[in-house]
Amino acid sequence: MMTTALAAAGAGATGLFKPSAAEAASDGNGQRSHGQGPFPAEGMALYSSHGPLELMKFQRRALGPKDVAIKLQFCGVCHSDIHHGREHWRKETFPLITGHELAGVVVAVGSSVSKFKVGSRVGVGCMVNSCRHCGPCESGMEQYCENGTVLTYGSKDRDGTMTQGGYSTFNVVDEDFVIGIPDAIDLAHAGPMMCAGITVYSPLRRWSIGPGKKVGVVGLGGLGHMATKIAAAMGAEVTVLTTSRNKAEDAKRFGAKTVIVNQDGADLSKHKRSLDFILDTVPYQHDLDRLVPLLKLDATLCLVGVGKVTEPNQLGPFSLLGARNSFASSAIGGVRETQELVGFCALHDIRPEITKIPREKIDDAWTKVVQKEARYRFVIDMTRT
Ligand SMILES: [Zn+2]
Ligand SMILES: [Zn+2]
């Protein structure tokens, strides 16, 4: 999840170009020999906030000294893509290609690239640039850049064009924002680690989750199911709160000890003061006052799900007072921490639960995500396009 405040959005060039002679000579899938670019690409774009996703041909920029060119194979479908695409968070610049859970293989590198080579298996998450010199950037927390993180899509890039995301065949990204993927992890599984995985891993680390801690995970979707697996692997005892009764068995399989069906009117009183930390992943307005009483003294409720800006969450005036609780939030993780998460998943054999879809089915996938029917992450498979 990325919050809108991080984005340096605005009107500007769309990043679109007319098809080049090089593209005309290719098969349209970027399968030609790869030079220094610009590189022909195609992706599933929105032309308005209420339209369907349609195929758009465009170009990725020529390689700068520190850029790597990535032939994309997979991209996870995040609820944030829908929030952006439907303008739940802010005005967007169209056409817009969403997707920030990218995975693919490096096919060309700039002259100064040192971390990757042609053939490297890589991922890209929610951001592709930052200022590099502010305090957060120097601390490896580029997602909190004081001068504005450049998001993977819908942000104005350093060359003035708007970034376009991972529902596409190709991308060119500065190597400092590229994550190496070990051979043990399928690229299809790597995609969802880039947003869903790191968004939950970072706060679980920040609040020192480990053995002896009781962690509540609210919402069992793309983020929640990764949070359950990761927190369990960290040694915590996990309680999942879900509104979907039919997800209870899955929650146990992912490592939850306790599952609470959190529907309106359900009695949560027997779980009062039972949790050391709650990670709330629900991306819509919901009742936080039901959750806070589950926290022990001084414990924190951290909300990483971001709903519509027109429908904010609220806390009652006494909610936090009763047990000196804290309310917090967290945005993805830094590049270094994302690399650490990938290693953690490899070490503990953690993988997202995915359903591969062809790109023509993205509209259908978005509908299913909103209807809570994803089990648990749709991943666009570009290897067959
Ligand atoms: Zn996301
Ligand atoms: Zn910065």
Side-chain angles (χ1 to χ4, degrees):
M1 285 288 160
M2 290 295 294
T3 52
T4 56
L6 301 179
T14 62
L16 289 175
F17 303 87
K18 289 207 161 56
S20 68
E23 185 194 29
S26 81
D27 63 5
N29 293 331
Q31 295 287 2
R32 69 192 175 93
S33 62
H34 299 287
Q36 296 293 295
F39 302 91
E42 52 185 49
M44 298 303 287
L46 285 164
Y47 286 83
S48 75
S49 64
H50 43 270
L53 291 106
E54 300 175 62
L55 192 63
M56 181 178 93
K57 297 200 172 196
F58 64 113
Q59 287 194 325
R60 296 294 191 180
R61 68 170 182 259
L63 288 176
K66 289 197 70 194
D67 283 337
V68 297
I70 307 165
K71 175 98 174 69
L72 299 176
Q73 294 189 4
F74 299 97
C75 186
V77 175
C78 180
H79 211 126
S80 302
D81 301 339
I82 300 168
H83 281 317
H84 274 288
R86 299 307 182 206
E87 295 191 313
H88 293 165
W89 288 350
R90 66 181 193 192
K91 287 283 174 214
E92 303 286 345
T93 301
F94 296 98
L96 173 68
I97 297 174
T98 57
H100 56 207
E101 295 185 343
L102 294 68
V105 175
V106 173
V107 294
V109 298
S111 57
S112 303
V113 167
S114 60
K115 296 185 211 157
F116 302 101
K117 59 185 192 313
V118 171
S120 294
R121 303 165 77 252
V122 297
V124 177
C126 298
M127 55 185 176
V128 290
N129 215 337
S130 70
C131 86
R132 323 293 182 98
H133 55 71
C134 71
C137 281
E138 292 201 332
S139 307
M141 293 186 285
E142 304 87 355
Q143 76 275 31
Y144 303 120
C145 176
E146 292 171 0
N147 297 300
T149 306
V150 178
L151 302 182
T152 301
Y153 60 82
S155 267
K156 191 183 278 192
D157 209 346
R158 61 191 180 203
D159 62 2
T161 62
M162 296 301 287
T163 54
Q164 299 287 8
Y167 295 3
S168 60
T169 54
F170 215 89
N171 207 351
V172 175
V173 181
D174 188 300
E175 68 165 339
D176 289 347
F177 288 81
V178 177
I179 310 297
I181 307 298
D183 290 342
I185 297 178
D186 285 351
L187 288 177
H189 288 137
M193 294 175 187
M194 297 296 108
C195 175
I198 187 59
T199 299
V200 298
Y201 180 80
S202 183
L204 290 171
R205 288 292 307 269
R206 166 71 179 76
W207 275 273
S208 304
I209 298 311
K213 292 288 177 69
K214 293 187 177 181
V215 175
V217 173
V218 183
L220 196 67
L223 274 65
H225 92 289
M226 287 298 284
T228 303
K229 292 185 178 198
I230 291 169
M234 288 173 168
E237 181 183 316
V238 180
T239 295
V240 165
L241 292 96
T242 173
T243 56
S244 305
R245 188 176 298 278
N246 61 16
K247 290 181 177 175
E249 286 303 314
D250 285 346
K252 294 270 178 73
R253 184 161 56 85
F254 302 154
K257 184 175 183 195
T258 306
V259 181
I260 301 171
V261 179
N262 182 29
Q263 292 173 337
D264 287 347
D267 181 12
L268 305 184
S269 61
K270 74 173 179 177
H271 302 284
K272 192 174 177 187
R273 297 280 186 100
S274 67
L275 300 174
D276 295 288
F277 182 66
I278 294 177
L279 189 63
D280 185 343
T281 70
V282 176
Y284 284 98
Q285 186 181 55
H286 58 292
D287 188 355
L288 299 177
D289 291 332
R290 283 174 62 74
L291 303 175
V292 175
L294 306 184
L295 291 170
K296 295 178 182 176
L297 177 66
D298 287 333
T300 295
L301 166 63
C302 178
L303 178 61
V304 292
V306 182
K308 299 178 183 180
V309 292
T310 53
E311 299 172 5
N313 286 303
Q314 295 193 338
L315 278 168
F318 286 99
S319 288
L320 299 171
L321 178 153
R324 200 165 59 186
N325 296 122
S326 298
F327 178 64
S329 191
S330 178
I332 51 168
V335 174
R336 193 162 63 218
E337 193 172 41
T338 307
Q339 192 68 64
E340 179 185 302
L341 157 78
V342 170
F344 183 89
C345 289
L347 182 66
H348 294 276
D349 207 22
I350 294 169
R351 303 291 183 273
E353 309 281 317
I354 63 168
T355 305
K356 291 183 191 174
I357 57 166
R359 64 186 181 185
E360 294 77 18
K361 297 284 187 188
I362 297 175
D363 280 309
D364 179 53
W366 277 23
T367 301
K368 288 187 166 130
V369 168
V370 172
Q371 293 175 343
K372 304 183 186 179
E373 292 173 7
R375 295 293 186 275
Y376 281 81
R377 203 59 149 185
F378 289 109
V379 173
I380 301 165
D381 182 351
M382 258 94 61
T383 63
R384 288 176 289 178
T385 53

